[in-house]
């Protein structure tokens, strides 16, 4: 949660303010991916993320993920203090492998969805969501 | 926190074997464990950490939630309805409480 | 607030000025339509007039300033998370509390009948000639009629739930607050406040919401500051917020000491701001960032 003073600091020196935490988060993202895939290769494609290009507020960002044929999907916010957002396991009663929910994003970042397919392979998609720090109490 | 009240929306009707859209909403603060109070202390995490939906005893979706899910979690997904039956929705709170909701569904 | 160093204040002031004078985006989106569940069409544009809003070309709901994802959330009564508060309010309506052993329903019956139009006419001068917001009327019932031990806090969860439920009973009705007669001096007081610059940033309501509506303040879209959508589910707060709660946020952002929620000043300001939206639909409970 940003205070107004933090907000100002970021606005003034965005590069400086974001460089440090990003380095710290990278390991977390890699760990989260490895925890889900067990280190297996992750392809790209076959997963569709629908999210606003610019979120009106980072505290409630609507996202939809579709991955036809997926058995499981993990959703990661690569720029959050903790990257893991949710894991969805589809059971035998599931219809199309789609989910929609609302998530918290601490700043502009890529969100990433990795699908575990029925054959055990992994595929993924990433999309950038810009999170604006508002002028009005944001 | 006020009383937790799940909300469920199912389509009015469906044919046997259809894949239907299921929408759920539950009031919950989803305290992430990332925030600090005015004294600078971390506010302990208290979230709904798991959500499941079964239809006619068959698992539809089993979701693990982390602190980055917004307050009042909204979850939408699709379920196949081979015949009429009951949906059972279950939310698991960090504090040990379990909230359940059952909805009957009739296929045409 | 008092301990801010001058340098930071100046930097923020500069940022605000830059934003206010910056290039406007295509706001509001006049093609956006507000239709609930594909059935109920709400009015989001209303004609201006020379008495209340001589400086506005037209009155626009805040809905028109939001992005499609936020608008969609409001247009589906299931996806609108404010409905959680409405449901809570519905439960409170029939809950017996206090020494009189009565609920709201015992006197007022079905809210769909008795409360229709209430939001549209709030704030309203009471029988003693004092301007009251909906919250005042609710608490008056609780303490004098129901014999409840405590009035609800202005921004408390049950008050936000009750005002959400009552507001929903006016959804689709045009805002139509009285500004003449006994209301006239309150309305004048509210107008005076609207054009008064507050805080270290020396900003009035009008600076942002009249002079600069449609422009950006840093990364935020400035709307006309209409309150026809309140109570609103604010995505930032992840809960329903009251009109006065938003007033506090605005005044605080000018770096001023704010008036209190429920203060006579904010009730007068609420009347004036509500009147600027006369003709817009009451949205019941909206969704805003």
């Amino acid at each position: 949660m940003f205070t107004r003073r933090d907000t100002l600091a970021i606005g003034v020196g965005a590069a400086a303010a974001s460089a440090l935490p990003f380095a710290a988060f990278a390991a977390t993202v890699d760990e989260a991916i490895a925890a889900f895939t067990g280190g297996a290769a992750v392809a790209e494609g076959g997963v569709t993320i629908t999210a606003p290009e610019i979120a009106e507020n980072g505290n409630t960002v609507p996202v939809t993920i579709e991955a036809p044929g997926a058995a499981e999907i993990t959703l990661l916010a690569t720029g959050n203090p903790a990257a893991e957002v949710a894991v969805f396991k589809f059971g035998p009663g599931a219809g199309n492998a789609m989910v929609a929910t609302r998530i918290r994003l601490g700043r502009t970042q890529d969100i990433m969805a990795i699908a575990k397919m029925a054959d055990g392979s992994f595929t993924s998609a990433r999309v950038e969501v810009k999170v604006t720090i508002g002028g009005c109490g944001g | 926190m006020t009383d937790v009240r799940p909300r469920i929306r199912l389509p009015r009707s469906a044919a046997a074997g259809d894949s239907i859209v299921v929408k759920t909403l539950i009031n919950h603060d989803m305290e992430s464990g990332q925030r600090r109070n005015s004294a600078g202390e971390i506010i302990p995490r208290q979230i709904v950490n798991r959500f499941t939906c079964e239809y006619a005893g068959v698992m539809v979706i089993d979701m693990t939630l982390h602190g980055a899910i917004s307050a009042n979690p909204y979850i939408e997904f699709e379920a196949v309805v081979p015949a009429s039956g009951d949906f059972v929705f279950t939310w698991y709170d960090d504090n040990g409480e379990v909230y359940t909701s059952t909805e009957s569904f009739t296929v045409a | 607030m008092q301990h801010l160093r001058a340098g930071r204040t100046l930097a923020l002031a500069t940022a605000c000025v830059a934003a206010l004078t910056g290039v406007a985006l295509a706001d509001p989106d006049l093609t956006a339509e507000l239709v609930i569940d594909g059935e109920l069409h709400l009015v989001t544009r209303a004609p201006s007039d020379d008495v209340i809003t001589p400086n506005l070309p037209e009155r626009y709901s805040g809905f028109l300033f939001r992005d499609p994802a936020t608008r969609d959330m409001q247009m589906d009564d299931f996806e609108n998370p404010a409905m959680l508060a409405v449901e809570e309010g519905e439960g409170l309506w029939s809950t017996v509390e206090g020494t009189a052993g009565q609920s709201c329903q015992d006197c007022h019956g079905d809210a769909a009948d008795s409360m229709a139009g209430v939001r549209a006419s709030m704030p309203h001068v009471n029988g003693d000639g004092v301007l009251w917001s909906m919250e005042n009327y609710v608490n008056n019932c609780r303490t004098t009629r129901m014999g409840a031990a405590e009035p609800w806090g202005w921004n408390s969860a049950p008050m936000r739930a009750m005002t959400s439920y009552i507001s929903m009973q006016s959804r689709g009705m045009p805002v139509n607050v009285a500004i003449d007669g006994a209301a006239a001096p309150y309305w004048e007081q509210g107008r005076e406040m609207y054009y008064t610059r507050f805080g270290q940033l020396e900003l009035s309501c009008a600076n942002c919401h009249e002079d600069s509506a449609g422009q950006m303040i840093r990364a935020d879209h400035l709307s006309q500051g209409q309150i026809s959508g309140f109570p609103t589910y604010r995505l930032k707060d992840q809960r329903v917020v009251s009109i006065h709660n938003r007033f506090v946020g605005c005044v605080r952002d000018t770096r001023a000491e704010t008036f209190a929620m429920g203060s006579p000043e904010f009730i007068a300001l609420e009347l004036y701001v509500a009147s600027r939206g006369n003709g817009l639909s009451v949205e019941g409970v909206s969704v805003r960032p």
Side-chain angles (χ1 to χ4, degrees):
Chain A
M1 194 80 41
F2 292 110
T3 65
R4 288 174 55 80
R5 294 174 205 189
D6 293 337
T7 300
L8 186 62
I10 287 169
V12 170
S18 61
L20 274 176
F22 187 77
F25 296 158
T28 312
V29 175
D30 288 344
E31 283 167 15
I33 294 172
F36 185 69
T37 63
V42 179
E44 285 182 22
V47 181
T48 307
I49 303 173
T50 306
E53 188 182 334
I54 303 173
E56 285 210 283
N57 191 284
N59 280 351
T60 314
V61 182
V63 296
T64 301
I65 305 152
E66 290 179 87
E72 248 178 84
I73 296 174
T74 188
L75 178 62
L76 304 174
T78 61
N80 273 7
E84 290 169 304
V85 177
V87 181
F88 307 91
K89 292 182 184 170
F90 300 105
N96 302 316
M98 72 77 64
V99 286
T101 188
R102 296 167 186 161
I103 69 174
R104 294 165 169 157
L105 298 176
R107 60 185 180 89
T108 294
Q109 58 183 279
D110 282 0
I111 56 175
M112 182 178 189
I114 307 173
K116 180 180 186 179
M117 308 307 285
D119 65 2
S121 66
F122 294 90
T123 187
S124 69
R126 342 173 36 118
V127 63
E128 186 189 51
V129 178
K130 291 189 174 70
V131 175
T132 59
I133 305 300
C136 299
Chain B
M1 182 170 294
T2 51
D3 289 345
V4 174
R5 296 177 312 280
R7 301 184 84 212
I8 311 293
R9 186 194 267 178
L10 303 169
R12 287 200 181 89
S13 61
D18 277 0
S19 180
I20 64 168
V21 174
V22 180
K23 299 178 179 183
T24 73
L25 189 66
I26 192 166
N27 58 320
H28 196 286
D29 288 344
M30 295 294 281
E31 187 60 58
S32 67
Q34 302 278 345
R35 299 199 307 159
R36 289 176 189 275
N37 63 19
S38 53
E41 300 150 344
I42 293 276
I43 303 171
R45 187 183 106 154
Q46 193 200 329
I47 66 171
V48 170
N49 58 58
R50 184 182 178 209
F51 164 78
T52 61
C53 168
E54 291 181 14
Y55 184 65
V58 176
M59 185 62 78
V60 173
I61 193 167
D62 184 342
M63 174 181 177
T64 303
L65 294 79
H66 295 278
I69 296 291
S70 304
N72 304 319
Y74 173 83
I75 307 165
E76 177 183 330
F77 51 92
E78 293 187 21
V80 174
V81 286
S84 297
D86 285 348
F87 277 103
V88 179
F89 304 91
T90 313
W91 292 258
Y92 299 83
D93 195 306
D94 273 349
N95 71 1
E97 285 195 65
V98 175
Y99 319 111
T100 60
S101 178
T102 303
E103 294 273 337
S104 295
F105 190 75
T106 307
V107 299
Chain C
M1 288 287 156
Q2 303 90 313
H3 304 298
L4 280 172
R5 278 170 287 168
R8 285 191 171 171
T9 307
L10 186 63
L12 184 61
T14 308
C16 281
V17 170
L20 285 169
T21 55
V23 180
L25 296 187
D27 263 350
D29 181 352
L30 299 181
T31 66
E33 287 192 55
L34 174 47
V35 186
I36 307 292
D37 289 342
E39 292 170 0
L40 177 63
H41 290 252
L42 301 185
V43 173
T44 55
R45 298 171 64 177
S48 190
D49 67 31
D50 293 337
V51 176
I52 301 176
T53 48
N55 302 324
L56 291 181
E58 194 176 4
R59 295 170 184 164
Y60 300 135
S61 161
F63 178 85
L64 300 178
F65 295 82
R66 307 304 10 139
D67 82 8
T70 307
R71 295 200 301 249
D72 285 351
M73 222 181 278
Q74 185 178 340
M75 291 204 290
D76 181 316
D77 271 354
F78 187 83
E79 296 184 20
N80 182 346
M83 292 303 163
L84 290 164
V86 173
E87 276 193 359
E88 187 184 343
E90 185 177 12
L92 291 169
W93 181 260
S94 55
T95 301
V96 172
E97 201 188 331
T99 54
Q102 292 195 313
S103 69
C104 305
Q105 187 170 287
D106 289 327
C107 284
H108 297 288
D110 187 350
D113 298 325
S114 62
M115 294 294 122
V118 169
R119 164 54 70 201
S121 63
M122 286 285 151
H124 186 81
V125 175
N126 69 13
D128 296 328
V130 179
L131 184 71
W132 273 4
S133 295
M134 189 190 290
E135 286 88 344
N136 297 110
Y137 285 94
V138 170
N139 270 339
N140 182 57
C141 271
R142 284 180 59 75
T143 54
T144 67
R145 295 189 190 177
M146 296 169 70
E150 296 283 340
W152 283 329
W154 199 274
N155 202 42
S156 64
M159 182 63 90
R160 289 183 281 110
M162 181 58 75
T163 55
S164 294
Y165 178 62
I166 294 174
S167 295
M168 272 294 284
Q169 314 310 320
S170 298
R171 185 163 73 170
M173 301 174 72
V175 176
N176 185 24
V177 293
I179 66 168
D180 54 1
Y186 294 106
W187 186 81
E188 291 288 351
Q189 181 189 355
R191 183 172 66 172
E192 177 76 19
M193 286 180 69
Y194 192 86
Y195 287 100
T196 300
R197 291 174 179 268
F198 288 95
Q200 292 175 314
L201 299 186
E202 297 188 351
L203 289 170
S204 70
C205 306
N207 288 145
C208 284
H209 295 292
E210 185 170 274
D211 306 343
S212 307
Q215 299 193 48
M216 306 290 284
I217 182 161
R218 302 187 61 178
D220 261 357
H221 298 255
L222 280 172
S223 71
Q224 289 183 349
Q226 298 286 359
I227 55 175
S228 50
F230 278 75
T232 189
Y233 190 90
R234 204 167 175 232
L235 300 181
K236 172 185 183 292
D237 297 298
Q238 300 168 82
R239 67 179 196 184
V240 166
V241 302
S242 67
I243 295 165
H244 289 202
N245 180 258
R246 191 63 278 220
F247 284 171
V248 165
C250 272
V251 177
R252 180 202 60 211
D253 286 353
T254 71
R255 297 187 180 270
E257 190 73 33
T258 82
F259 301 96
M261 289 182 267
S263 62
E265 290 86 356
F266 271 168
I267 297 172
L269 182 63
E270 181 187 339
L271 173 65
Y272 176 71
V273 174
S275 76
R276 292 172 63 91
N278 274 353
L280 296 172
S281 287
V282 173
E283 295 177 21
V285 281
S286 66
V287 181
R288 302 285 188 263

